[in-house]
Amino acid sequence: KGEGRGMDKFGDNKKKAHRVSKVGVKAEKKKQKQIKDNKSLQNVKNPKAHTIFRTKKAMKATQRKSDLETKQLHIPMMVSARDVEPPKLIAVVGPPKVGKSSLIRSLVRHYTRHKLDEIIGPVTVVSGKNQRLTFFECPNNLNAMLDIAKVADLVLLLIDASFGFEMETFEFLNILQTHGFPKVIGVLTHLDKIKDEEKLKATKKKMKHRFWNEVYQGAKLFFLSRLKSERYMQNEVHNLARFISVMKYRPLVWRTAHSNLIVDRFEDITDPALVEKDPTSDRVISMFGYVRGTNFKKDTKVHIPGAGDYWMKSLTSLMDPCPMPDKTKKTLRVQERVIYAPMSDIGQIFVDKDAIYVDMPEGRDAEDDEDLTEGERMMKKLAQTRSTLDEQVGTSEIRLTKGGSYIGNDYGDDDGDDMDDGMDDDEEGDMEDDMDDDMDDDDDEVEVVGRRRAPKNFGNEEKDEDLEFEDDDEDALNFQDGNMDDEDQDEEDTSMIPSESKWKGRLFERAAMNFKKLPNLMDMVYGNAPVKSNSLDDDEDEETSDFFVKKKDVVRKESEDDDEDCSKYVADVLVPSEDDVDEELISRFSRLGEFDKKDTEDEQMYGAFEDLETGQTHEDGTEETQLTTEEKFNEENRKKRADKKAILKDKFDSEYDQKGGEEGEEEQTFFNQQKASFERQAAINKAEFAGDDADTRAEYEGYRVGTYVRVELEGIPAEFVKFMNRKNPMIIGALHSSEENLGFIQVRIKKHRWAKKILKNNDPLIFSMGWRRFQSVPMYSIEDANLRHRMLKYTPGSMHCMATFWGPVCPPNTGIICFQNLGDSPHFRVSATGVVLELDQKFQVRKKLKLTGTPQEIHKNTAMIKDMFNSQLEVAKFEGASIRTVSGIRGQIKKALRTPPGAFRATFENRILKSDIVFLRAWVPVHPVKMYNPVTSALVSSMNDWKAMKTVRQLRDERSIPIPVKADSEYKPIKRYARTVIEDVLLPSKIEAQLPFEKRRQTVLRRREEEHSRNVLKSVVVLDPHERELKERFELAQTIKNDSDKTRDAIVKRKRAEFVKGKKEEEDRKNAKMKQHMKERFVLEALGRKKLNGFRKNTKK
């Protein structure tokens, strides 16, 4: 048996090979040692450990991953570049008495340690080193909710946990869904009213799931348990503030395309005289706020919701009243926790384009200045000033030279104001002489009203002819205001230098000397002006040491030829040649001469060179340096290798970029490519305006996002100022040029499921679309299969339809929301929501029209129809139109008849009767009503005062007009009358042959016979007793027969089942026996083959 074991094919003995163990302790130790020694094996994973054992689970995981990736896909949007982010607007919304003001007070206290008494308008705070927040409490009215939903970055939706969700909450959520849906955080309040812990837990869970259904699954919901000192608990407010600080805000389409302002300060700058003369005159107002959305341009038309469209009178940027802190610091200091809420009387400094207003708080006007700060003392001193700066200068004194006497302003008297400005020189000289005489007569003192007295002496003192101004001396020009120190006063009393009226003797010469020192502007434009020094500088150079070197010694040689104006050409005494003149002119007005000199110097320095384009060699007379043939060959090979490497590098870079770069980099998807293109475009824009100042950039691209600006508007109605409610949000929204026009707008609209009634065609609706709120008359329609817009009388109950109305155009895909009334109502006020589809000046909406007529004359298949039209012109419009009768016979309009008016000839596919009614189905165009009524809620005291277009029902109710009733339009019970049967009339065979087949006598008789035979079978037969007995016996026999047949069928069925079962068992036994036989046969055959193989091996050996 073991003859062949351990031998190779040549018959030599072969040792058994050692098998290395792959499992066990030793194998694991060796494996760990190899991995430790070889670093390349450390990151190699075992492929068997990551195989898929559960295919269904892996398929579900893959599908879930692809779904999550698909959900993340969205259209990338271009956001305008901004240096400073504007404050994020956080709207606090909720029903009344739910805790909105308390929440804002708590958050402001958390950020700024400031206590707010009353919250009016926006409240801006610095929440971090790179973030600012603006809180706004939204009032409980639809106009305010519509405005705040269009600009809010984050909404804190307050819900009363003890009461539940209120109708205002659902209305506001519908408004948010229409206008972009910003981030929403729910806040549950009044939890302390629920005392039972189990009930509180169940309420929280119920509110959370209901909130998720309305917003989205997993929306954040905070719980505020109770109040303490009119503020919520500190840890709860802290958690909410931390979540707000890390919130990410996605840009919305409408806001990124339209710039807007949230007005945080408002001023009426109308001339008071005009207001006093006419209180109803238009006003000029200025509004202040941060630019949001995109850049705000000056020549833009703006819309104020509730007031209308206006052109801006001016747009200027101001200093930021709530600046961002220093980003280099990790935490905020107390001084950097700034709050700015001018409408709430917080923030004492207001900046305007021409003034700065400082509000001194009450109770800080104490006489003791020690309690006031330095700034407050300065402002108090400025506030106590009773005279203007001109008056103070007019009554002040001046000293022209150091140690000189003071000169008062003698021309500030009241008498001097009446002097005529146009007097002659002789009169002025006489007046000066008289004034000099008066001054000579006064030997003691000169008194100036409101100032201290300054002594003056006039004598024969030594005159200083070379008197000059000393600019570096602080006392060279000194205004006296009556508060001079004692030391200065003693100095003036002891050192009095005499002066006289001829102190201005050499002013002209000194001014000329100073004027000569000014730089030459033409030198600065056309050449390099040499730095010249005056005599004083030369004297100083002689005195100073050699360590200091004057700048005048280092001057360009090109500009040393002259010191005069480079644009002037002055000929020398010797007349030069024309070439010299040309070279000199070129050297004065350009730098070409310098380039020529540099070219000659370069040629001398670098010697010969070869032009690569022409191949020409330029030599300069030096030794030729020619390359050998071998060097040229090596140079060509080097260039080829370099080109080949560059091609391979480019190919690798392209593949590398497509794969997403190194590990950790983003994959180059379409979204990432769009983002990269946006970033490149932003970099190009930034580089384009990098060298321009802020004003120049504002002229081209407008004021950037985050800039605090002042908007001045004129032509504002007086009611806007009169009925202004500072608690309502004031928005200034920029309009595009196309949005200023009016046109027809087609929208896809759906009635809200909670609306009380369906919407009727041509009933006015209030639309909120874009920045605007307006009233218009919509026409509802639905699109058929043939793309025809068919007019609807009412909106469908639970499906979308089209609506066409007249109004200001708006970009497609803009959301709209509709109301029937913006005032208070006990019902759900949102009537419908939709989206803009198309804009045009005309839309084809058609209405179905059914016209009826009766036959006047009938000639075979031709009939004359009347009572359908009123004139031949109407018939001409419908020539060729299809008509039909009530019985279904189709026809066509042919030609109009002369009499009667409106009658026409028509042909039909069969003969019609005199009693048939002919009708025509037509489609006529219907034109929407051109009605646009802007909602001017800001110009009235309440929405009840705003005049809106009323519906037909409202007008009928007010004027008690009954509903018109049309008899033809009423629904009546259908009554069907049986036709009277007319006896058969014997007709001649020729006339009967002309009748239709169904009307002929033979057909009618055959039909009657068939009906008679059917009725005979259904008739009742009355039997006598003998016949009844026979019938019963026959039925009994039939029953016995049926029962025996049934029994026989059951026995046959049972026997058949037994037979089939036996057959199957026999077949199974036969198959088993055959299987066993085949198995034994295969075993014997296998053993025989094995013995045969062994025999063959032995035979070979």
Side-chain angles (χ1 to χ4, degrees), residues 8-38:
D8 56 5
K9 61 182 180 180
F10 299 105
D12 298 336
N13 292 330
K14 183 181 179 182
K15 294 183 179 180
K16 185 179 179 181
H18 174 68
R19 292 187 299 174
V20 180
S21 59
K22 299 180 180 180
V23 293
V25 180
K26 290 185 178 180
E28 191 67 26
K29 286 183 179 179
K30 290 182 179 179
K31 185 177 180 181
Q32 294 297 333
K33 186 178 180 182
Q34 289 178 0
I35 294 174
K36 186 176 180 181
D37 296 340
N38 191 357

Side-chain angles (χ1 to χ4, degrees), residues 839-850:
L839 311 171
D840 204 344
Q841 290 298 323
K842 187 178 181 181
F843 283 100
Q844 291 291 338
V845 180
R846 300 185 179 276
K847 177 182 178 182
K848 184 171 66 173
L849 181 63
K850 196 172 184 180

Side-chain angles (χ1 to χ4, degrees), residues 652 655-668:
F652 173 76
E655 294 177 356
Y656 184 83
D657 295 338
Q658 291 177 2
K659 292 179 181 179
E662 295 180 356
E663 192 173 329
E665 291 187 6
E666 295 182 354
E667 186 181 356
Q668 292 298 318

Side-chain angles (χ1 to χ4, degrees), residues 228-459:
K228 183 178 180 181
S229 301
E230 298 183 355
R231 294 193 302 272
Y232 290 103
M233 302 301 293
Q234 186 176 358
N235 58 340
E236 297 172 349
V237 176
H238 180 67
N239 292 336
L240 178 59
R242 287 186 62 187
F243 199 83
I244 293 173
S245 63
V246 299
M247 179 70 69
K248 293 183 179 180
Y249 307 94
R250 187 178 184 273
L252 303 179
V253 177
W254 177 264
R255 303 181 197 178
T256 53
H258 295 76
S259 54
N260 60 87
L261 261 72
I262 309 299
V263 178
D264 54 21
R265 188 156 66 93
F266 165 83
E267 290 182 5
D268 184 6
I269 57 176
T270 314
D271 188 2
L274 296 177
V275 177
E276 185 177 359
K277 183 179 180 181
D278 185 10
T280 61
S281 61
D282 292 342
R283 306 299 177 87
V284 180
I285 63 174
S286 60
M287 295 182 174
F288 304 80
Y290 290 94
V291 177
R292 302 169 187 269
T294 185
N295 296 346
F296 207 161
K297 296 185 178 181
K298 294 183 178 181
D299 54 349
T300 306
K301 195 172 186 179
V302 297
H303 177 80
I304 301 176
D309 299 349
Y310 301 96
W311 287 102
M312 291 187 295
K313 184 179 179 181
S314 66
L315 178 64
T316 55
S317 62
L318 303 177
M319 182 181 66
D320 196 340
C322 188
M324 295 283 286
D326 189 2
K327 294 185 179 180
T328 58
K329 299 178 181 178
K330 295 183 178 180
T331 58
L332 290 179
R333 297 178 299 176
V334 179
Q335 295 83 354
E336 293 175 340
R337 296 179 179 270
V338 185
I339 179 172
Y340 180 68
M343 291 188 182
S344 301
D345 296 333
I346 297 176
Q348 289 77 28
I349 299 178
F350 306 108
V351 182
D352 205 344
K353 68 173 184 178
D354 53 359
I356 298 178
Y357 301 95
V358 180
D359 184 15
M360 294 291 291
E362 297 181 359
R364 302 293 292 172
D365 54 353
E367 296 181 358
D368 190 5
D369 292 346
E370 296 180 356
D371 298 339
L372 303 177
T373 62
E374 182 179 356
E376 291 177 346
R377 283 197 297 269
M378 181 182 68
M379 298 309 301
K380 180 181 177 183
K381 187 175 180 181
L382 287 174
Q384 292 175 354
T385 304
R386 294 295 180 265
S387 59
T388 63
L389 183 62
D390 294 338
E391 294 176 356
Q392 295 180 9
V393 172
T395 57
S396 62
E397 297 173 340
I398 187 172
R399 183 175 64 180
L400 297 179
T401 60
K402 184 176 180 181
S405 60
Y406 291 95
I407 301 174
N409 189 358
D410 297 334
Y411 300 98
D413 302 325
D414 294 339
D415 298 335
D417 296 339
D418 298 332
M419 283 195 240
D420 190 3
D421 295 337
M423 63 176 61
D424 298 334
D425 296 336
D426 297 334
E427 295 179 0
E428 292 180 0
D430 297 339
M431 291 182 66
E432 289 179 359
D433 296 339
D434 296 338
M435 292 174 66
D436 292 339
D437 295 339
D438 295 339
M439 292 174 66
D440 293 338
D441 295 339
D442 189 3
D443 297 335
D444 298 331
E445 294 179 351
V446 175
E447 182 176 355
V448 180
V449 179
R451 304 295 172 191
R452 70 178 184 84
R453 296 178 180 177
K456 298 180 65 178
N457 294 330
F458 297 94

Side-chain angles (χ1 to χ4, degrees), residues 971-984:
Y971 292 100
K972 301 176 182 178
I974 300 174
K975 296 181 180 179
R976 303 194 182 277
Y977 300 97
R979 289 189 177 186
T980 58
V981 179
I982 302 175
E983 294 294 334
D984 294 338

